[in-house]
Amino acid sequence: MKNSILPVIAASALAFSLAACGSDDGGSESEAGGGEAAGADLDLVTDGTLTVCSDVPYPPFEDFDESTDSGFTGFDVDIVSAVAEGLDLELEIKDSSFDALQSGLALNSGDCDLAASAMTITEERQENLAFSDGYYDSQQSLLVPADSDIAGIDDLPGRTVGVQQGTTGEAYTQENAPDATITAFPSNAELFQAIQAGQIDAILQDLPVNIDNAENGDFEVVEEYSTDETYGLAMQQDNTALVEAVNEQLSELRDSGEYDEIYDSYFSTED
């Protein structure tokens, strides 16, 4: 029996009830006759391959792993691997900066077909990107050293808080901790190094990532924030065929139970 360590997230993680209703027969093209290559109508960067950009490392969503075929591991990696398999496509993953992903630069320049990087669907990002149906609900959180006197966001005035540049965590901190000194870093790797070195007093960012950070040092999550955030897979706005095909694959993952298996492998613990 599984016991989720993130019950709030677990309760809503299956929220991508998707509907995939907008798709007529999207995603079934790989089964069609006529000899066309898989994904031939999806306007892919490379025929027969789903090229995915991701800001790595950001465990447990994406991380390097030379033992795997793709060279990467994580929740997002498993999700897009299943999507690619369902579309009968090869998978290639490229490391990219989160700023290039959330701004649409990486996708609109043709560097990749899809961005999978724990990216929250926001109205601002939708101005430049199309998103799949939501596939993961998240929260923000505050991480501090275990011996810190910071117990929550009310203790942050006058303290230095690290955030990741261009993220919803940065926006939440600016709105809710205006009297803190906010320092933005390009990735979680730099954030975690900064708090380990004592350069910042706290990190405010996605809860699962802070939990992972806490497991890798003498740190603890002291507060969680419900922000109604949902992650989506980002694509070019005009590639509606790919968006529909991806949504159909997400729906099939949920219906088959494979999504639950992937989710539990990263966010649940055995009793």
Side-chain angles (χ1 to χ4, degrees):
M1 183 173 179
K2 301 283 188 180
N3 177 31
S4 172
I5 61 173
L6 302 174
V8 176
I9 298 175
S12 53
L14 300 182
F16 69 82
S17 49
L18 307 183
C21 317
S23 176
D24 45 12
D25 63 349
S28 62
E29 56 278 354
S30 62
E31 299 173 358
E36 282 191 342
D41 62 344
L42 300 181
D43 194 21
L44 300 173
V45 172
T46 301
D47 290 342
T49 298
L50 183 65
T51 306
V52 175
C53 285
S54 186
D55 175 27
V56 187
Y58 198 67
F61 295 99
E62 33 266 333
D63 206 349
F64 300 104
D65 186 349
E66 294 182 354
S67 69
T68 67
D69 291 340
S70 68
F72 299 88
T73 187
F75 180 74
D76 287 350
V77 173
D78 285 1
I79 291 293
V80 294
S81 295
V83 168
E85 182 177 0
L87 294 174
D88 198 20
L89 297 171
E90 298 295 324
L91 176 67
E92 179 183 1
I93 297 179
K94 296 180 177 180
D95 187 16
S96 178
S97 75
F98 188 77
D99 224 27
L101 299 180
Q102 64 96 22
S103 68
L105 178 63
L107 289 164
N108 294 327
S109 65
D111 197 32
C112 45
D113 304 303
L114 182 152
S117 201
M119 190 186 304
T120 300
I121 302 170
T122 68
E123 291 183 1
E124 182 179 4
R125 290 170 180 161
Q126 286 175 314
E127 293 177 0
N128 298 311
L129 299 168
F131 280 95
S132 70
D133 295 314
Y135 68 93
Y136 184 89
D137 290 352
S138 187
Q139 303 176 73
Q140 295 297 320
S141 62
L142 189 67
L143 179 84
V144 300
D147 60 355
S148 174
D149 59 357
I150 297 174
I153 202 165
D154 291 340
D155 297 326
L156 293 182
R159 312 300 283 269
T160 302
V161 185
V163 298
Q164 185 167 345
Q165 183 177 357
T167 63
T168 50
E170 180 179 23
Y172 186 87
T173 308
Q174 291 171 339
E175 181 177 352
N176 295 280
D179 295 325
T181 299
I182 302 171
T183 302
F185 293 80
S187 73
N188 178 66
E190 285 89 350
L191 266 174
F192 193 50
Q193 289 171 1
I195 199 169
Q196 287 177 306
Q199 297 171 348
I200 55 177
D201 298 310
I203 294 175
L204 200 154
Q205 69 165 340
D206 292 354
L207 175 60
V209 180
N210 264 345
I211 289 176
D212 188 84
N213 285 335
E215 292 173 348
N216 290 294
D218 198 14
F219 302 94
E220 61 180 344
V221 175
V222 292
E223 209 165 48
E224 302 173 9
Y225 314 106
S226 297
T227 50
D228 297 324
E229 294 184 49
T230 301
Y231 295 167
L233 303 173
M235 290 156 274
Q236 284 187 301
Q237 283 184 320
D238 60 357
N239 197 345
T240 54
L242 181 59
V243 174
E244 291 180 359
V246 168
N247 280 342
E248 182 162 326
Q249 292 304 314
L250 289 176
S251 184
E252 290 184 8
L253 282 177
R254 181 178 67 89
D255 292 344
S256 69
E258 187 176 353
Y259 176 89
D260 290 340
E261 294 177 7
I262 295 172
Y263 183 92
D264 286 346
S265 70
Y266 288 97
F267 304 116
S268 295
T269 56
E270 298 285 351
D271 286 333

